[in-house]
Amino acid sequence: MACFVTFAYYYFIILSTSFTTIHGLFSEQSVSAIRMEKLTRLHFYFHDIHAGQNPTAIRIVGPPNKSVGSFGTSFMIDDPLTEEPEASSKLVGRAQGIYAFASQQDSGLLMVLNFAFIEGMYNGSTLSILGRNPFMDTIREMPIVGGSGVFRYARGYALAKTFSFSEKTEDAVVQYNVCVLHH
Ligand SMILES: *[C@@H]1O[C@H](CO)[C@@H](O)[C@H](O)[C@H]1NC(C)=O
Ligand SMILES: *[C@@H]1O[C@H](CO)[C@@H](O)[C@H](O)[C@H]1NC(C)=O
């Protein structure tokens, strides 16, 4: 059985005395502080549903005419994230944001997404992706640029791999493996 959280452990520990410089009310700066970074790996399936009564991906911008192909086409999504590939498996969060056809030469999407988790200790925490998704490639790597809650100070990467795609409906199930360092 696939597990949502594969493991989490303390990545490294820096212990040192710190000193703080306070500049009035506006700012303070610490040279160093106790810092424990964790490495967390997540594994889940992303369901991009275009067809039917309840689509989770909606086209919000279309190309001006056929001469530019798909370039510029943009979708707003609120896609379920599940533990297993089946849509009926346990919901662990949602992917909310925009993807847009951003390449005139090949298949490259601009991804601007937040993963909003609801599972266990991750409920209420988010991770943010900002990256390029060459969706015809077998495995696409995208940067994780930040996070909130459990994932404060997050940085890392996501590897996306298409699990299934329907040419007819354009519905897709995509496997995500995410690896992040965070506090
Ligand atoms: C198609 O759109 C492009 C970019 O907006 C424009 O330059 C071009 O003139 C348009 N072509 C037609 C046939 O409308
Ligand atoms: C997540 O947290 C919200 C708000 O605290 C709560 O209403 C909800 O039941 C929680 N969901 C799960 C799956 O624990």
Side-chain angles (χ1 to χ4, degrees):
M1 193 182 80
C3 179
F4 171 59
V5 178
T6 313
F7 67 93
Y9 63 82
Y10 294 112
Y11 184 65
F12 65 81
I13 299 171
I14 296 173
L15 291 173
S16 69
T17 51
S18 67
F19 66 91
T20 301
T21 316
I22 296 171
H23 308 278
L25 291 174
F26 173 58
S27 73
E28 71 172 60
Q29 188 172 68
S30 298
V31 169
S32 64
I34 295 170
R35 199 167 67 141
M36 291 188 282
E37 279 201 277
K38 292 162 204 158
L39 178 70
T40 298
R41 292 182 193 276
L42 304 171
H43 177 252
F44 50 82
Y45 292 85
F46 167 110
H47 299 260
D48 201 44
I49 305 158
H50 294 255
Q53 293 298 304
N54 300 301
T56 63
I58 290 170
R59 196 174 81 173
I60 52 169
V61 178
N65 60 45
K66 286 201 166 65
S67 72
V68 295
S70 302
F71 184 59
T73 306
S74 304
F75 291 83
M76 179 70 79
I77 65 163
D78 185 1
D79 285 355
L81 305 175
T82 60
E83 204 171 52
E84 308 267 1
E86 299 74 38
S88 58
S89 75
K90 187 177 189 181
L91 187 72
V92 295
R94 307 193 75 87
Q96 298 172 335
I98 293 172
Y99 63 77
F101 287 75
S103 175
Q104 289 184 301
Q105 283 76 43
D106 54 15
S107 308
L109 297 174
L110 164 70
M111 308 289 283
V112 186
L113 298 183
N114 295 310
F115 290 140
F117 298 106
I118 60 164
E119 169 62 12
M121 66 179 285
Y122 302 98
N123 188 10
S125 295
T126 66
L127 285 173
S128 299
I129 281 198
L130 175 60
R132 177 172 194 274
N133 182 357
F135 61 91
M136 296 305 281
D137 291 4
T138 307
I139 296 185
R140 292 86 70 179
E141 178 176 339
M142 292 166 269
I144 302 286
V145 296
S148 69
V150 167
F151 294 121
R152 269 185 198 174
Y153 289 104
R155 65 211 185 280
Y157 62 90
L159 297 176
K161 185 179 179 195
T162 302
F163 178 83
S164 64
F165 176 71
S166 159
E167 300 249 347
K168 186 160 152 257
T169 62
E170 297 187 325
D171 288 0
V173 178
V174 182
Q175 180 183 33
Y176 270 81
N177 278 295
V178 171
C179 186
V180 285
L181 284 171
H182 58 95
H183 284 194

